Each structure stands twice: as structure tokens, then as C-alpha cells.
Amino acid sequence: MIRFPILADLPTTPFSGPEVVRGVESSSSDGDGPGRVRVEVDGKADVLAFYGAAPAGVPADPVIFLRGDVVEKRDTGIVAIESYIATTPYDVQALAEQLCAGFTRPFIHLARPGILGSSGHHLDRRRPREVALVDMALTRLKAHFGWHRLNLVGQSGGGHLVAALIARRADIGCAVIASGNTAVAQRNREHGWTTDITGHADFLDPIDHVADVARHPPQQIIVLTDPNDRRVSASVQTAYVEALRRVGVAVDHRFLSAAGELRHDLQLPGILAAFTWLAKR
């Protein structure tokens, strides 16, 4: 049965870098459970991990977070980033519980396919199946916990997912896109790539789906951008904002300084932006 994980039951060993690169296969016996939700797309099942908590007696709708990509290309090939392989399931759940307690609202960190305990292939990110898996997991979690609306926050590659999801879903309250790769083809052109950095050319590009967002826009869209972002340029993020505005969708586009050498990490401001918007309502 789907339910929140118990912190004391979670491993304190770090996540595996090699697993991220080679992918994690699910088996027919894998199913729902504590911090696990089974979803099937194109006849193949995967089990996505989730971390989080809900305050007792508080029926409020959740903030759901989707993190960024966890691999990078080096001379030796594709490897998991250091911060990922230094993180444990216990760490992710502990932070989720802290945010839940601090803001007195359900908080979920939904693990993207292939990372943080989810089955799947992280190297296939930004393709339609990743979006469909996350979309279906949200639907199942919403039904199980009895939520009415979802509030989404995505950092970088997670921001790509949020932008893709608001084109598909009509139940989003606040959508926060932080340093999001929301105009994939434009980013590829800026870098001179013939395919996405994943090596795939069949990526889902959110900027192509802004008309779908306009049919059922979230109550609030917040886009966070560092003008000096060296991972996903401000021009890529701004192109998406301008495309949304051209089809009549209001966007609160905020410019701020990001953490890290690449000026790309706006994860915490993204989460805080969602909680702050909800607190004002």
C-alpha cells in the first residue's frame, strides 16, 4: 500500500553512481509500498520513489519537488555528480520532513526515473516517457492521499518536467520552475549540439506546448532565473516565459543570484517561493 516512508527505516548508505548511469530495471514483483508508487507506460512498469510527510490533521494540498539532473559528461564518460553520490535516502526523507514541519503542509520529493531509488533510466530524461511516468505517479499519489490540487517545484531538469506537466494537467495550483531547461532545442543550438546532451533527439520541448498550458493554466507560474546561469542560459529560460506570455499566460519571472560556481542552483528559492505563495492565500 502507498504510504509515506518511515525515516528510521531508510538506509544511510549513499545512492549509487553506477546505477544512475546504467539504469535500474524494475521487476514484476515490485509494487506500491512505503515511499513507492508503481506506474506503467507503454506496457512497461516502473516504480518511482517518493519521500515526504504530511502534518497530522492538515488536509492541505502538497508541495511536490522534482530535482535536477544528477549526471555530467567528463573526459572519462558520463558519471554521477559528487553531491548525488554523497546523499542517502535518510537525508532526502529528513529534509522532506523538516520542510513539512516548518511550513505545516504536506511536502513530497518525487524521485525522477532512474535516481533516488526509482527504477528507470536517467539517461533517457526529457523524453516523453519520463514525463508520462511522473505524470502518472502524480495522479496516483493525488488519488491515494485525497489531494485536490498539486503545487509543483522543479529545479533544472526537474523544471523541464514541471513545464511539461503544466501542459498536460489542469490541477496545478502553483508551478515554480527554477533554472529550468524549458526550451531544449534552443539550448542545443546555443551549444552547437545536434542532439540534446542526453544524445537523444526525441526530447519533449516545453516551449512547443505553451498553447496547451493556456487551455488550463496553473493559478500561479513562477520562473526563477540567474542572469549568469552557465548551465541553462537565461536566454533559454526567458524564451519560454515570453512564449507563455504570447499565448496569454501570466508568468512571474524573477531574476536572482544562484548558488554554485555555475550559478545554476535555485532549488531552495524555488521551494520557498511555492510555500510563500501558498501561505499568502
Side-chain angles (χ1 to χ4, degrees):
M1 179 179 177
I2 298 171
R3 59 184 184 274
F4 289 115
I6 297 173
L7 182 62
D9 293 342
L10 292 177
T12 56
T13 52
F15 292 106
S16 165
E19 272 192 357
V20 169
V21 176
R22 68 174 177 261
V24 180
E25 297 294 335
S26 64
S27 71
S28 58
S29 61
D30 291 335
D32 298 339
R36 299 172 63 84
V37 55
R38 181 182 173 91
V39 288
E40 184 174 322
V41 172
D42 299 332
K44 183 180 185 304
D46 277 294
V47 176
L48 301 193
F50 69 93
Y51 304 84
V58 177
D61 294 330
V63 170
I64 300 177
F65 176 68
L66 296 158
R67 70 153 296 155
D69 301 349
V70 304
V71 294
E72 60 186 9
K73 286 185 175 180
R74 297 183 183 166
D75 293 340
T76 55
I78 298 174
V79 297
I81 59 177
E82 283 82 359
S83 59
Y84 178 78
I85 58 177
T87 302
T88 73
Y90 186 98
D91 296 333
V92 182
Q93 177 65 17
L95 179 57
E97 291 186 13
Q98 291 162 17
L99 290 165
C100 167
F103 291 95
T104 324
R105 178 175 287 270
F107 179 83
I108 306 291
H109 184 155
L110 178 58
R112 295 167 59 190
I115 65 173
L116 297 171
S118 292
S119 69
H121 293 261
H122 186 56
L123 301 192
D124 288 341
R125 62 199 182 279
R126 288 193 284 284
R127 301 174 85 184
R129 190 169 189 274
E130 182 192 37
V131 177
L133 284 169
V134 174
D135 188 25
M136 189 171 295
L138 291 175
T139 296
R140 292 208 64 212
L141 290 171
K142 178 186 175 186
H144 177 78
F145 288 111
W147 298 324
H148 298 288
R149 298 187 76 83
L150 308 177
N151 304 286
L152 304 179
V153 181
Q155 159 69 22
S156 189
H160 169 275
L161 275 169
V162 171
L165 290 163
I166 63 175
R168 296 168 66 107
R169 304 187 66 96
D171 58 354
I172 307 302
C174 184
V176 182
I177 300 168
S179 306
N181 185 4
T182 48
V184 183
Q186 177 171 324
R187 183 184 184 222
N188 294 346
R189 290 192 297 270
E190 290 182 359
H191 287 276
W193 299 334
T194 56
T195 65
D196 186 30
I197 194 171
T198 59
H200 300 297
D202 60 342
F203 50 81
L204 189 153
D205 203 341
I207 198 171
D208 294 337
H209 298 273
V210 292
D212 297 320
V213 180
R215 281 193 277 273
H216 42 68
Q219 293 172 293
Q220 177 72 61
I221 298 175
I222 301 171
V223 174
L224 304 183
T225 298
D226 186 318
N228 297 303
D229 192 326
R230 294 169 54 195
R231 179 76 75 185
V232 178
S233 72
S235 59
V236 166
Q237 300 172 52
T238 301
Y240 175 70
V241 170
E242 292 175 347
L244 283 172
R245 288 173 174 166
R246 282 195 296 272
V247 295
V249 178
V251 184
D252 181 358
H253 193 189
R254 306 176 189 176
F255 293 90
L256 63 163
S257 297
E261 180 182 353
L262 296 178
R263 301 287 294 272
H264 183 63
D265 184 2
L266 292 174
Q267 172 176 312
L268 181 57
I271 293 170
L272 295 178
F275 278 121
T276 301
W277 181 82
L278 287 162
K280 291 178 178 178
R281 292 183 61 79

